[in-house]
Amino acid sequence: MSTASVDLAQNNDNVKSGDCENDFDFSKLPHKPRNLNMERQRSFDERSLVEASPRYTPWAENGQRHIDNESVFSPSRRSSFNTPRSLYGFEPHPMFAEAWESLRKTMVYFRGRPVGTIAALDNSDEKLNYDQVFVRDFVPSALAFLMNGEPEIVKNFLLKTLRLQSWEKKIDRFQLGEGVMPASFKVLHDPIRNTETLMADFGESAIGRVAPVDSGFWWIILLRAYTKSTGDSSLAETPDCQKGMRLILALCLSEGFDTFPTLLCADGCSMIDRRMGVYGYPIEIQALFFMALRCALVLLKQDAQGKELIDRITKRLHALSFHMRSYFWLDLKQLNDIYRYKTEEYSHTAVNKFNVIPDSLPEWVFDFMPTFGGYFLGNVGPSNMDFRWFCLGNCIAILSSLATPEQSMAIMDLIEARWEELVGDMPLKVCYPAIESHDWRIITGCDPKNTRWSYHNGGSWPVLLWLLTAACIKVGRPQIARRAIEVAELRLAKDGWPEYYDGKSGRYVGKQARKHQTWSVAGYLVAKMMLEDPSHLGMISLEEDRQMMKPVVKRSSSWTC
């Protein structure tokens, strides 16, 4: 099947998305939350990172330092190799130019226009579906192109995936929801007829036959990033984009039997796309859900259809933020409370609302939890708390402001305190710890790819560098990201940009990892460019909405009132 080209006129006179209330306020970037027990000194790197930004203004009218957010579009300087030149006046790491060269080789064209990047360029093994354009995989590539002042490929990608959304989607005679976005697509060339067509995968070809829940969320987040970067809101305002957002949101805002505001999901519907015991309410999906809802509030038009949906989104955000901040958050104080839980409590006065049995707490979590720090749990449901650390969900919680400023700082404290476990020899653990022995057999179904400390089961994924970097900059602790990037630069390019690393500290290239993995390359580029110009953070970060209801969150002894 083929898709028709969609040409939409740009309107550069439209109001820039930077004027919206929900956008990130750069004036708060250099500052940290007060009232901490620990005394922290801002390093020279931390100060100079903000001050070296081209948006930096030494003194505002009120005497406070800030970054000017009036000019949203900020193309980087280019070198003769069509890659950004260092804003500091010196050449970047040699890996930087190599990474750009590798990224450009992965570009996919449809009828003469760039529409995405393939998952990997590794030809050493059977391609499987690594020669396709994945929605979630393309996000870091898209951000790199936007930061480099090349929005065309991002716009084309958004339009093509939007057209694919309108396809009839059937798997084994069962029709999927109208708003489901594809997991991936492929450009098919017919040399005889000299034609090109797009072939989409909505989960019918994936391992496990699971439709991607996160694709629609990433699409909305990327649409907002494009709008924020270019200052052009005309694309988001088109009837097709407005309808696409409404269809995605209608799927996840539909009313049913669930008593929680979180989104019920199956295993394998996110970045962890194989059975890993994350069914229920995984943190990754809840954080992406929250962020997509907030982005939609900025992008939806205030017409009859938009207003009704905006009202539903606002109510869901209030409930979701309260639920996540109250029940998913774990620090030393909360861990001790769970340790002392009573069970079989009934009525609204119950403290142990999910009837979690204290004996079910894993032994490792007591040693893993530092005195100062905390994180959002992997999953919370009836008689179930998954205490595993999941990197993507916690970073998105920071970027979307699902995490409070205190919680965001606590997550950074945890990463620093557990550096060897979460970063080690190659950043960054997708989850911690690994599932082993009998638990591994039961939870993963004896999945040979997800053996302990490999792939999704405690493997190290370089792509997560960009998420860590963005979160660190937002919290005001970029030195953490810089340290992680320096670790990656020791081996990542020499090893051929692997998809993931194995081992408890990430010392070994993954047993089945593809080389020249595109999002490993793009993740590194985005991290470096964001450190160089922190104003890029505005594309992917949202400031806390002060109008949103804030629940009273019990704080650990690491915070003072």
Side-chain angles (χ1 to χ4, degrees):
M1 288 185 287
S2 63
T3 59
S5 300
V6 180
D7 293 319
L8 298 173
Q10 284 190 336
N11 181 3
N12 292 322
D13 294 328
N14 286 331
V15 178
K16 295 180 180 180
S17 64
D19 298 330
C20 298
E21 292 181 359
N22 289 329
D23 286 336
F24 183 72
D25 182 0
F26 288 107
S27 65
K28 299 177 182 178
L29 187 62
H31 304 292
K32 297 181 181 179
R34 296 177 181 178
N35 300 326
L36 296 179
N37 261 350
M38 297 178 64
E39 182 69 21
R40 298 190 182 93
Q41 297 294 329
R42 294 179 69 203
S43 67
F44 171 77
D45 284 345
E46 197 172 335
R47 294 193 304 272
S48 62
L49 178 68
V50 176
E51 294 164 9
S53 169
R55 300 285 181 274
Y56 177 71
T57 303
W59 297 102
E61 293 180 1
N62 61 1
Q64 296 295 320
R65 294 176 181 261
H66 74 287
I67 293 178
D68 183 10
N69 192 31
E70 292 299 320
S71 178
V72 177
F73 177 60
S74 56
S76 301
R77 304 174 188 178
R78 307 277 187 86
S79 70
S80 58
F81 297 101
N82 200 28
T83 60
R85 188 182 298 277
S86 172
L87 295 174
Y88 297 118
F90 53 81
E91 290 301 316
H93 194 281
M95 274 177 57
F96 194 69
E98 179 185 335
W100 266 109
E101 183 180 355
S102 298
L103 182 60
R104 296 196 186 282
K105 289 179 181 178
T106 67
M107 293 174 67
V108 174
Y109 292 82
F110 178 69
R111 297 177 181 174
R113 295 184 177 183
V115 293
T117 53
I118 61 173
L121 274 176
D122 188 3
N123 297 317
S124 59
D125 295 304
E126 184 184 357
K127 285 185 175 61
L128 296 177
N129 56 0
Y130 283 80
D131 61 346
Q132 298 184 24
V133 179
F134 282 82
V135 173
R136 77 172 67 95
D137 290 40
F138 180 66
V139 171
S141 296
L143 295 177
F145 285 120
L146 288 174
M147 291 178 184
N148 201 36
E150 302 177 66
E152 180 191 5
I153 185 173
V154 182
K155 180 178 180 180
N156 294 338
F157 170 86
L158 290 167
L159 291 174
K160 291 308 174 190
T161 48
L162 186 63
R163 290 301 299 263
L164 295 174
Q165 183 196 38
S166 66
W167 280 13
E168 183 182 40
K169 301 174 277 287
K170 282 188 176 181
I171 298 179
D172 293 336
R173 302 182 183 181
F174 180 75
Q175 187 161 327
L176 276 67
E178 190 178 1
V180 173
M181 279 287 184
S184 63
F185 66 85
K186 186 175 182 178
V187 178
L188 301 178
H189 303 268
D190 187 338
I192 298 177
R193 298 181 180 180
N194 194 28
T195 60
E196 290 183 339
T197 58
L198 290 179
M199 183 60 64
D201 176 16
F202 293 92
E204 68 271 25
S205 300
I207 294 175
R209 303 298 186 268
V210 180
V213 175
D214 62 338
S215 288
F217 297 152
W218 280 121
W219 188 89
I220 293 175
I221 293 167
L222 186 56
L223 178 62
R224 187 259 179 183
Y226 170 87
T227 304
K228 179 73 175 177
S229 173
T230 62
D232 171 32
S233 59
S234 63
L235 176 62
E237 291 175 353
T238 60
D240 284 342
C241 282
Q242 291 290 310
K243 180 183 178 181
M245 281 190 287
R246 289 197 300 268
L247 290 175
I248 293 169
L249 296 170
L251 276 177
C252 51
L253 292 173
S254 59
E255 297 173 347
F257 290 97
D258 211 328
T259 59
F260 309 140
T262 41
L263 195 62
L264 184 63
C265 298
D267 246 337
C269 62
S270 59
M271 176 184 174
I272 298 179
D273 57 8
R274 298 165 80 99
R275 182 178 167 188
M276 268 286 291
V278 297
Y279 53 84
Y281 308 94
I283 179 60
E284 176 181 335
I285 292 299
Q286 311 316 316
L288 286 172
F289 180 30
F290 183 88
M291 190 169 194
L293 289 178
R294 293 206 60 201
C295 288
L297 282 181
V298 178
L299 300 171
L300 285 170
K301 296 175 71 173
Q302 294 280 347
D303 54 19
Q305 290 176 303
K307 286 183 178 179
E308 187 274 335
L309 193 55
I310 287 171
D311 183 59
R312 294 175 63 191
I313 291 172
T314 303
K315 291 178 179 178
R316 190 63 169 263
L317 283 171
H318 282 283
L320 186 59
S321 63
F322 175 84
H323 185 92
M324 296 299 295
R325 293 173 178 180
S326 300
Y327 305 129
F328 272 67
W329 180 252
L330 187 72
D331 57 17
L332 188 59
K333 170 66 166 58
Q334 182 65 12
L335 180 59
N336 197 72
D337 289 345
I338 297 171
Y339 179 70
R340 292 168 52 83
Y341 266 167
K342 295 179 181 179
T343 59
E344 306 301 326
E345 292 182 301
Y346 184 73
S347 83
H348 298 288
T349 61
V351 176
N352 186 0
K353 296 182 184 296
F354 298 94
N355 197 38
V356 174
I357 311 300
D359 287 346
S360 69
L361 271 69
E363 292 184 7
W364 64 265
V365 74
F366 295 100
D367 293 328
F368 181 71
M369 179 60 68
T371 302
F372 303 103
Y375 64 102
F376 286 97
L377 293 171
N379 216 320
V380 175
S383 298
N384 172 55
M385 279 189 176
D386 184 349
F387 288 89
R388 284 177 294 175
W389 151 272
F390 288 89
C391 179
L392 192 151
N394 276 272
C395 287
I396 291 294
I398 293 175
L399 295 174
S400 65
S401 288
L402 172 59
T404 65
E406 292 87 355
Q407 289 172 339
S408 297
M409 190 65 77
I411 292 171
M412 289 298 150
D413 288 340
L414 177 96
I415 292 173
E416 282 197 312
R418 297 292 173 256
W419 186 266
E420 292 304 317
E421 292 90 339
L422 302 180
V423 178
D425 293 313
M426 179 57 66
L428 197 64
K429 287 296 179 193
V430 65
C431 73
Y432 182 90
I435 306 170
E436 304 183 62
S437 305
H438 181 69
D439 288 340
W440 168 78
R441 293 184 177 88
I442 299 299
I443 293 175
T444 75
C446 297
D447 187 346
K449 197 167 186 178
N450 272 335
T451 55
R452 64 174 187 169
W453 307 114
S454 179
Y455 202 47
H456 298 130
N457 190 12
S460 299
W461 292 71
V463 64
L464 297 171
L465 272 173
W466 81 264
L467 284 158
L468 175 67
T469 300
C472 288
I473 293 173
K474 182 175 181 181
V475 175
R477 294 165 73 174
Q479 72 278 6
I480 297 177
R482 182 174 288 108
R483 181 183 172 193
I485 291 172
E486 288 173 354
V487 171
E489 286 177 336
L490 295 174
R491 295 179 51 200
L492 192 54
K494 295 177 182 178
D495 292 339
W497 305 95
E499 179 184 14
Y500 63 93
Y501 284 77
D502 285 352
K504 201 166 184 178
S505 64
R507 293 182 63 190
Y508 309 101
V509 174
K511 188 180 296 184
Q512 297 187 44
R514 291 299 192 275
K515 295 289 188 72
H516 303 285
Q517 184 80 13
T518 304
W519 70 352
S520 295
V521 173
Y524 168 75
L525 284 173
V526 171
K528 291 286 283 188
M529 295 170 77
M530 202 173 292
L531 274 180
E532 183 178 88
D533 183 357
S535 68
H536 289 315
L537 179 66
M539 274 190 264
I540 201 67
S541 179
L542 292 162
E543 185 183 356
E544 185 174 17
D545 186 352
R546 300 190 181 281
Q547 301 302 317
M548 189 176 297
M549 180 179 63
K550 298 180 180 179
V552 177
V553 180
K554 294 181 180 180
R555 298 178 180 177
S556 71
S557 57
S558 57
W559 310 111
T560 58
C561 297

